């Protein structure tokens, strides 16, 4: 199986700026952690990052097609700031029927008010916030458990 891990704007800066907030690990190190855990579950990771909303929409569509054909367990999605602004990403999750676990490195609820609302949480299977890169690993495990327990096509 594949597990898609999609990262939104500015996450390419991880490990280079604001280590006090986002930690010292770079995005490649997060990817390595994801690959290692997925391998232990017998899966491969398709790990991507984009600064462009439309590209993330297209990737969610691709993930939905892979889920529908039984190749993917779904997507871990850290949409970055698009979380708080993007109706298009929410529509893509619903439209492509993607099982999504929304992940945030930081505890968005302990930050500015504008980060408290997510357009994605109501259509996500689950949400993990504030646990750093460990959140990605928890989300990968959850997507595998959900696919195993409910089957890839079930709501
Ligand atoms: O906590 C998260 O994972 C966020 O999705 C990160 C976003 C932020 O807009 C969300 O509210 C919460 C920001 C990603 C920017 O990442 C950077 C990493 C290092 C240095 C600068 C930005």
């Amino acid at each position: 199986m594949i597990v898609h891990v999609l990262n939104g704007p500015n996450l390419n800066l991880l490990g280079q700026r604001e280590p006090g907030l986002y930690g010292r690990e770079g995005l490649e190190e997060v990817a390595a952690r994801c690959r290692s855990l997925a391998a232990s579950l017998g899966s491969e990771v398709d790990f991507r990052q984009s600064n462009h909303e439309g590209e993330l929409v297209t990737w969610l569509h691709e993930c939905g097609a892979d889920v529908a054909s039984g190749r993917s367990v779904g997507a871990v999605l850290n949409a970055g700031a698009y979380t708080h602004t993007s109706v298009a990403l929410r529509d893509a999750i619903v439209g492509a029927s993607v099982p999504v676990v929304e992940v945030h490195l930081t505890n968005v609820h302990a930050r500015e008010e504008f980060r408290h609302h997510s357009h994605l949480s109501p259509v996500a299977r689950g949400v993990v916030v504030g646990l750093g890169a460990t959140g990605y690993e928890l989300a990968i495990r959850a997507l595998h458990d959900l696919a195993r327990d409910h089957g890839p096509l079930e709501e």
Side-chain angles (χ1 to χ4, degrees):
M1 291 291 268
I2 302 169
V3 57
H4 295 255
V5 181
L6 307 181
N7 296 278
N10 298 308
L11 284 158
N12 53 307
L13 299 176
L14 213 58
Q16 300 168 32
R17 309 262 165 82
E18 302 194 66
L21 188 56
Y22 292 111
R24 298 197 173 279
E25 263 178 292
L27 200 58
E28 260 316 309
E29 288 163 279
V30 177
R33 276 218 224 181
C34 291
R35 289 196 187 97
S36 167
L37 177 66
S40 77
L41 300 170
S43 287
E44 284 176 28
V45 173
D46 187 338
F47 194 98
R48 304 183 190 189
Q49 186 274 331
S50 177
N51 294 320
H52 303 277
E53 187 175 13
E55 192 158 39
L56 292 162
V57 167
T58 298
W59 290 348
L60 283 166
H61 295 173
E62 289 174 13
C63 178
D66 283 343
V67 170
S69 66
R71 287 194 299 268
S72 172
V73 294
V76 176
L77 176 61
N78 184 350
Y82 288 145
T83 304
H84 318 298
T85 64
S86 181
V87 175
L89 287 179
R90 176 190 170 122
D91 287 350
I93 293 166
V94 175
S97 300
V98 186
V100 160
V101 177
E102 177 185 345
V103 169
H104 298 287
L105 295 159
T106 60
N107 180 356
V108 285
H109 301 291
R111 299 182 63 187
E112 303 95 324
E113 188 82 30
F114 65 83
R115 297 187 203 275
H116 297 183
H117 178 261
S118 165
H119 285 289
L120 313 181
S121 297
V123 297
R125 295 298 304 268
V127 182
V128 185
V129 304
L131 303 180
T134 300
Y136 284 67
E137 296 175 307
L138 294 171
I140 287 171
R141 187 173 289 281
L143 284 169
H144 283 78
D145 286 355
L146 289 166
R148 189 196 57 223
D149 294 345
H150 301 294
L153 295 177
E154 205 171 306
E155 291 279 298

